[in-house]
């Protein structure tokens, strides 16, 4: 690392220097920084052509290389003034690029595997000289030709690769046009795997936490805020400045496939956790602060999904045509807005409000007073009348991914153009802009945006079109100014490696996992079981899956439920129930998928294709389903009634239930512990009587489970949703209403209701319970 003093005599590209002050320039790994006492550290790439302007004792980046200090280049100015100045300078083509949000980008890309002789660009890595942090040709194209600056990053090979890739991206775009930095983003990436093992004092690739529903099970906003603080530090160290989270849909429909990504069904808990999450992500601290809580440690939170995707009819998900309707049989639409307007848009911290919001794919059926039923992303009423005008939201509105694409069939996982299926791709872009949105999720191509601009000009004139595009540009640019990307988007690779997954963060994540585990039953104080007892753990059935959106296929395999190397650290493993002191049966909830609720085979039999979604292990016949659906209608269907009354479905992992019952028979009166991995409500009546104790987990490591079983940790989690008594109450509940099912009551007379949980002393009724659940008892 080299240190250079900046003097007027030093030849910097287009530099304008004064004799006052001597900021220090540091030559780093692929970029330079300029450290100044009374201003932010600047980062730039010497290869980009960007110069340094020195004025009034301060250094500034000459991003547009015009030799003068523009308002948008002056870090002393207000965020909005800078954004407005830059927006006014941009061409329509550049603004159209800001309105794009890339498709999913792996680093290295999916065609760029590394390790051994894996090919890169058709050549082995060691021959081609290519590196995993190099930009792909496609990435260079959408960054330069389409002017895209919002990049969605999925998997990364390592923190180092992510940091170096970020630096390459930033150097590349810094040399283009007005030097607008990339605003890289991520979907949630901190959830763990059951097979990972925590070692106190050791680091990892990234800190590991329970699922969002698991965070809700802690009933503790301080834990969620701490997660946000830690996750944002790791995100910024990876070059990520926007989080496509939290998912704060009020999960009032128990069959919904995305239930696990939410904070559950209770509006008060959801609201408080939404606020804590966004505050944790967006608030900078100490020297990182620029203004109003924003700064170099901030990560923009894009909350989703306005105005809630929770009340999906029949639990079917809107990633598919057959799940495009959100319904409100309880007239409870306003409650679903609370986590947004009272939580994410009403923060305790200085940033004030979540900086971005994503509407869901759904058609909020019957909500628009005009009678128009279109997807939320195309609804002027949902975006402008409600979000913008009634609730005063002026942040970025970004569509969910793929809403402007075509949908080939009811069951297809492709375009999600609900309510505007008969329009062209360009017309859908235009409708979104008229509705009040700013950005197109999953679109790398500026062409349709520019064509939509022409349509606006034809209808409202050039001046109006320019104003509309600049309005969105200001909102989009604000999120890069507030996070300091214009001053320094570059990463110190060694700092990244030291930050992401550091021991302190790993410890906090593991503690949150422990806090999320819910004990539903502990008959006869079956738990805890002292270490070194003899344990029998049967294998677990793993159904064959077509992926998160592909459903389950016939068949499956038996797999080890827990790693023997881990289990042996706690107990003596035996091979038969007869030898054991106790048994642990690891189970998954009744297996359904995001694509549940529709069956092409049913359609091919001359029926409507719609089938039930089951929350039980045994075969389920929908005896109590609605005779007529609340919503329906699609150009590809010649009917409007999507009812599935009287139809039967099977669950892919009925074997889990059978395993538990078999183990109970073989164990006799010896304790049998059921550990159930849960992502949404389920019917416990089929399994509860066969278990001495029941632990419910929400995306945690097996090690955390064993820490509770062995008594190293005491369970403290509470249910963030009801567990239904049966499928009848599931069918009779209203999709938009929380707490309206009959909860299951077990053999110890405990109701598995919202807020229920046990510790070693019995049922938990602490301050968390009283605050959020006490009023329902």
């Amino acid at each position: 690392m080299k240190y250079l003093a900046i003097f007027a005599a030093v030849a910097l590209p287009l530099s304008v220097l004064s004799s006052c002050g001597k900021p220090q320039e540091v030559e780093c790994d692929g970029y330079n920084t300029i450290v100044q006492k009374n201003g932010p550290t600047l980062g730039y790439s010497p290869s980009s052509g960007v110069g340094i302007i020195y004025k009034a004792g301060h250094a500034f980046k000459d991003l547009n290389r015009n030799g003068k200090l523009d308002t948008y280049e002056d870090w002393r100015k207000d965020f909005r003034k800078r954004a407005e100045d830059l927006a006014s300078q941009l061409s329509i083509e550049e603004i159209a690029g800001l309105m794009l949000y890339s498709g999913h980008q792996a680093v290295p890309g999916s065609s760029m595997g590394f390790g051994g002789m894996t090919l890169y660009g058709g050549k082995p890595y060691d021959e081609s000289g290519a590196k995993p942090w190099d930009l792909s040709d496609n990435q260079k194209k959408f960054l330069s030709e389409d002017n895209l600056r919002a990049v969605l990053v999925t998997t990364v090979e390592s923190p180092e690769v992510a940091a170096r890739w970020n630096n390459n991206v930033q150097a590349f775009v810094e040399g283009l046009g007005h030097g607008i930095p990339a605003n890289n983003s991520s979907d949630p990436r901190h959830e763990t795997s059951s097979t990972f093992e925590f070692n106190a004092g050791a680091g990892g690739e990234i800190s590991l936490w329970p699922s969002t529903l698991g965070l809700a099970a802690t009933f503790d906003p301080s834990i969620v805020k701490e997660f946000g603080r830690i996750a944002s530090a790791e995100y910024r160290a990876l070059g990520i400045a926007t989080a496509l989270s939290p998912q704060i849909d009020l999960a009032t429909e128990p069959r919904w496939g995305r239930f696990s990504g939410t904070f559950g069904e209770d509006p008060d808990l959801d609201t408080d956790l939404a606020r804590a999450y966004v505050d944790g992500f967006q608030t900078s601290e100490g020297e990182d602060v620029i203004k109003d809580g924003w700064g170099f440690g901030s990560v923009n939170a894009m909350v989703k999904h306005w105005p809630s995707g929770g009340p999906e009819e029949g639990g079917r998900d809107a990633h598919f045509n057959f799940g495009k309707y959100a319904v409100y049989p309880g007239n409870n639409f306003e409650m679903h807005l609370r986590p947004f307007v009272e939580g994410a848009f009403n923060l305790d911290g200085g940033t004030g409000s979540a900086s971005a919001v994503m509407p869901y794919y759904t058609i909020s059926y019957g909500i628009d007073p005009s009678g128009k039923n279109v997807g939320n992303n195309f609804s002027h009423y949902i975006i402008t009348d409600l979000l913008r005008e009634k609730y005063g939201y002026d942040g970025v509105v970004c569509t969910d991914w793929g809403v402007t694409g075509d949908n080939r069939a009811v069951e297809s996982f492709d375009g999600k153009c609900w309510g505007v299926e008969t329009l062209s791709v360009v017309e859908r872009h235009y409708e979104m802009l008229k509705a009040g949105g700013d950005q197109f999720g999953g679109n790398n191509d500026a062409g349709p945006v520019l064509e939509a601009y022409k349509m606006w000009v034809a209808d409202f004139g050039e001046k109006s079109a320019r104003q509309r595009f600049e309005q969105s540009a200001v909102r989009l640019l604000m999120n890069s100014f507030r996070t300091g990307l214009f001053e320094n988007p570059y990463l110190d690779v060694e700092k990244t490696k030291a930050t992401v997954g550091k021991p302190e963060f790993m410890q906090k994540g593991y503690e949150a996992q422990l806090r999320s585990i819910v004990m539903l039953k502990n008959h006869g104080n079956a738990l805890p079981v002292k270490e070194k007892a003899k344990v029998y753990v049967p294998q677990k059935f793993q159904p064959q899956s077509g992926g998160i959106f592909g459903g389950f296929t016939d068949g499956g395999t038996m797999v080890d439920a827990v790693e023997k190397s881990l289990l042996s650290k706690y107990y003596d493993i035996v091979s038969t129930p007869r030898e054991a002191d106790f048994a642990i049966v690891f189970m998954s909830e009744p297996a359904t998928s995001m694509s549940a609720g529709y069956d092409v085979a049913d359609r091919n039999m001359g029926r409507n294709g719609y089938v039930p979604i089951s929350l039980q292990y045994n075969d389920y016949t929908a005896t109590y389903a609605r005779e007529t659906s609340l919503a329906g209608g699609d150009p590809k269907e010649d009917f409007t009634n999507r009812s599935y009354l009287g139809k039967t479905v099977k669950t892919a992992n009925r074997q889990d239930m059978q395993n538990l019952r078999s183990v109970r028979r073989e164990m006799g009166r010896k304790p049998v512990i059921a550990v159930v991995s849960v992502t949404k409500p389920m019917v416990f009546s089929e399994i509860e009587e066969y278990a001495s104790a029941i632990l419910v987990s929400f995306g945690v490591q097996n090690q955390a489970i064993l820490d509770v079983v062995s008594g190293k940790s005491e369970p403290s989690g509470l249910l963030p949703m009801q567990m239904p008594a049966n499928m009848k109450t599931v069918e009779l509940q209203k999709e938009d209403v929380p707490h309206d099912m009959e909860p299951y009551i077990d053999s110890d007379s405990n109701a598995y209701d919202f807020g229920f949980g046990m510790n070693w002393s019995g049922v938990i009724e602490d301050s968390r319970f009283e605050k959020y659940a006490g009023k329902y008892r």
Side-chain angles (χ1 to χ4, degrees):
M1 187 176 288
K2 298 180 180 179
Y3 294 84
L4 305 170
I6 301 178
F7 298 98
V10 176
L12 289 173
L14 294 176
S15 294
V16 181
L17 306 175
S18 86
S19 59
C20 299
K22 297 178 181 179
Q24 191 174 55
E25 183 160 358
V26 182
E27 186 177 318
C28 303
D29 186 0
Y31 65 98
N32 288 6
T33 60
I34 296 176
V35 182
Q36 47 190 337
K37 288 185 177 180
N38 299 312
T41 295
L42 307 182
Y44 78 104
S45 171
S47 65
S48 70
V50 164
I52 302 300
I53 293 174
Y54 193 77
K55 183 176 181 181
H58 300 298
F60 306 88
K61 294 165 68 173
D62 185 17
L63 290 164
N64 60 7
R65 299 169 294 282
N66 66 355
K68 66 178 184 178
L69 182 62
D70 292 270
T71 297
Y72 87 90
E73 298 166 336
D74 189 344
W75 45 260
R76 300 169 300 182
K77 301 292 186 182
D78 177 80
F79 298 134
R80 182 168 292 277
K81 288 182 179 179
R82 296 179 71 186
E84 290 172 346
D85 175 65
L86 178 52
S88 70
Q89 297 186 36
L90 298 179
S91 67
I92 291 301
E93 288 75 15
E94 289 174 299
I95 296 178
L98 292 178
M99 290 179 165
L100 304 178
Y101 218 121
S102 83
H104 298 71
Q105 304 295 309
V107 182
S110 57
S111 61
M112 314 175 204
F114 284 85
M117 296 298 289
T118 306
L119 297 183
Y120 178 93
K123 298 180 181 179
Y125 169 57
D126 57 353
E127 291 182 12
S128 70
K131 300 178 178 64
W133 46 82
D134 289 347
L135 275 64
S136 70
D137 290 340
N138 182 54
Q139 289 165 353
K140 291 177 181 178
K141 177 185 180 299
F142 64 60
L143 291 169
S144 59
E145 296 180 21
D146 294 290
N147 298 297
L148 182 149
R149 291 297 179 271
V151 183
L152 175 57
V153 179
T154 54
T155 58
V156 296
E157 186 176 280
S158 68
E160 177 182 358
V161 168
R164 293 187 183 278
W165 179 83
N166 169 80
N167 290 351
N168 282 345
V169 169
Q170 300 298 357
F172 183 77
V173 298
E174 191 174 72
L176 303 174
H178 291 79
I180 299 173
N183 185 345
N184 301 324
S185 65
S186 175
D187 278 315
R189 60 192 317 117
H190 284 83
E191 293 184 9
T192 187
S193 166
S194 62
T195 59
F196 291 164
E197 188 170 346
F198 170 72
N199 294 303
E205 291 293 294
I206 199 165
S207 61
L208 303 173
W209 299 70
S211 68
T212 307
L213 194 60
L215 288 172
T218 69
F219 274 54
D220 190 340
S222 69
I223 291 178
V224 175
K225 187 174 182 178
E226 183 171 50
F227 164 71
R229 180 185 64 81
I230 290 172
S232 63
E234 293 183 312
Y235 272 25
R236 290 307 299 260
L238 293 168
I240 295 167
T242 294
L244 302 189
S245 59
Q247 184 187 335
I248 60 175
D249 310 79
L250 191 60
T252 51
E253 168 46 56
R255 295 162 290 190
W256 186 32
R258 298 194 71 176
F259 200 111
S260 66
T262 75
F263 288 125
E265 68 175 301
D266 185 69
D268 293 331
L269 182 63
D270 194 358
T271 297
D272 286 352
L273 298 185
R275 183 186 305 110
Y277 188 111
V278 178
D279 265 331
F281 266 85
Q282 291 191 168
T283 304
S284 285
E285 299 175 343
E287 294 182 354
D288 284 335
V289 176
I290 299 174
K291 185 181 180 182
D292 297 331
W294 289 105
F296 295 97
S298 299
V299 172
N300 296 292
M302 183 181 292
V303 295
K304 54 189 187 184
H305 304 88
W306 177 264
S308 177
E312 299 266 14
E313 184 168 22
R316 299 183 295 272
D317 183 66
H319 276 86
F320 296 90
N321 188 318
F322 55 76
K324 65 184 177 182
Y325 291 110
V327 294
Y328 300 88
N331 297 315
N332 213 28
F333 177 78
E334 295 292 332
M335 179 180 285
H336 284 259
L337 305 184
R338 286 187 53 202
F340 296 90
V341 298
E342 297 178 22
F345 302 162
N346 184 34
L347 303 180
D348 293 329
T351 64
S353 174
S355 64
V357 63
M358 181 189 295
Y360 202 37
Y361 299 119
T362 43
I363 296 171
S364 297
Y365 194 75
I367 295 301
D368 187 341
S370 73
K372 190 175 184 180
N373 283 306
V374 295
N376 295 316
N377 293 280
F378 305 105
S379 172
H380 188 277
Y381 177 76
I382 293 294
I383 296 177
T384 294
D385 295 354
L386 287 182
L387 181 62
R388 297 286 194 206
E389 295 179 358
K390 181 175 181 178
Y391 296 110
Y393 185 77
D394 193 37
V396 169
V397 173
C398 176
T399 74
D400 212 330
W401 264 231
V403 300
T404 57
D406 292 327
N407 177 244
R408 293 177 290 106
V410 174
E411 72 275 11
S412 295
F413 185 73
D414 48 15
K416 299 149 195 11
C417 49
W418 313 146
V420 292
E421 290 92 343
T422 60
L423 299 183
S424 69
V425 170
V426 170
E427 289 170 332
R428 292 172 196 145
H429 281 75
Y430 185 39
E431 287 300 307
M432 190 283 275
L433 291 172
K434 289 194 295 181
D438 302 300
Q439 202 166 28
F440 299 91
N443 182 6
N444 300 356
D445 181 9
V449 185
L450 295 172
E451 290 301 312
Y453 177 82
K454 293 177 183 178
M455 294 180 70
W456 194 296
V457 170
D459 287 347
F460 304 108
E462 183 85 39
K463 182 179 179 181
S464 174
R466 176 76 200 190
Q467 289 175 339
R468 174 65 186 85
F469 267 51
E470 282 194 29
Q471 182 184 49
S472 286
V474 169
R475 292 173 181 144
L476 292 160
L477 291 167
M478 287 274 285
N479 290 350
S480 293
F481 282 117
R482 291 188 290 206
T483 50
L485 292 176
F486 276 86
E487 276 57 67
N488 185 15
Y490 296 94
L491 300 173
D492 180 330
V493 174
E494 293 305 314
K495 184 178 179 180
T496 290
K497 290 161 64 176
T499 300
V500 181
K502 68 181 182 180
E504 173 195 341
F505 293 172
M506 301 298 290
Q507 178 72 41
K508 292 294 185 181
Y510 188 70
E511 290 172 359
Q513 290 184 48
L514 293 171
R515 293 282 299 276
S516 73
I517 295 170
V518 179
M519 184 165 70
L520 293 182
K521 182 179 181 180
N522 194 21
H523 185 75
N525 295 318
L527 290 176
V529 180
K530 292 181 179 180
E531 293 188 35
K532 301 308 177 183
K534 296 178 180 179
V535 65
Y536 172 70
V537 179
Q539 287 192 311
K540 181 177 181 294
F541 181 72
Q542 182 65 55
Q544 188 170 332
S545 172
I548 186 173
F549 297 112
F552 293 97
T553 57
D554 291 338
T557 57
M558 298 300 293
V559 298
D560 287 342
V562 62
E563 307 73 25
K564 290 183 172 62
S565 60
L566 174 64
L567 185 61
S568 64
K569 294 179 181 179
Y570 294 83
Y571 299 108
D572 293 334
I573 305 171
V574 297
S575 57
T576 66
R578 183 183 300 273
E579 304 170 80
D581 297 318
F582 78 110
I584 308 175
V585 180
F586 286 83
M587 311 173 63
S588 294
E589 68 189 5
T592 58
S593 72
M594 292 279 286
S595 60
Y598 192 82
D599 187 356
V600 174
D602 182 84
R603 185 182 69 197
N604 291 341
M605 293 170 61
R607 298 189 287 192
N608 67 3
Y610 292 85
V611 295
I613 297 174
S614 177
L615 301 182
Q616 67 181 37
Y617 291 104
N618 281 312
D619 295 354
Y620 169 61
T621 300
T623 305
Y624 297 96
R626 295 186 183 104
E627 185 173 351
T628 304
S629 64
L630 298 177
D634 183 83
K636 290 178 279 298
E637 295 178 335
D638 59 2
F639 57 86
T640 58
N641 187 6
R642 294 182 164 195
S643 174
Y644 49 81
L645 177 65
K647 295 182 182 179
T648 300
V649 291
K650 297 178 180 295
T651 302
N653 63 333
R654 186 170 180 265
Q655 182 68 45
D656 277 3
M657 175 188 70
Q658 294 172 329
N659 283 351
L660 176 65
R661 293 181 176 185
S662 175
V663 170
R664 165 49 69 202
R665 285 194 300 270
E666 296 181 61
M667 289 292 292
R669 295 185 177 183
K670 291 184 288 188
V672 176
I673 315 304
V675 178
V676 190
S677 176
V678 167
T679 66
K680 58 182 179 292
M682 62 171 283
V683 175
F684 272 90
S685 60
E686 299 169 310
I687 65 171
E688 178 267 323
E689 66 178 288
Y690 301 95
S692 311
I694 299 174
L695 296 176
V696 168
S697 67
F698 302 93
V700 304
Q701 297 161 228
N702 285 334
Q703 181 180 0
I705 296 294
L706 293 174
D707 275 353
V708 171
V709 171
S710 65
K712 285 186 175 181
S713 178
E714 184 172 12
S716 63
L718 304 173
L719 284 178
M721 72 286 204
Q722 293 181 304
M723 293 298 182
N726 47 52
M727 284 302 298
K728 177 181 178 180
T729 191
V730 172
E731 294 289 6
L732 297 181
Q733 59 87 35
K734 297 177 179 178
E735 286 91 337
D736 61 327
V737 177
H739 311 301
D740 65 339
M741 293 190 295
E742 175 191 348
Y744 176 69
I745 299 177
D746 71 9
S747 55
D748 290 332
S749 300
N750 288 318
Y752 294 179
D753 208 344
F754 170 76
F756 176 74
M758 302 179 71
N759 57 23
W760 305 143
S761 300
V763 176
I764 299 171
E765 293 186 349
D766 57 13
S767 59
R768 299 172 302 151
F769 172 86
E770 291 301 328
K771 181 175 182 179
Y772 295 109
K775 58 182 171 288
Y776 300 115
R777 298 297 190 266

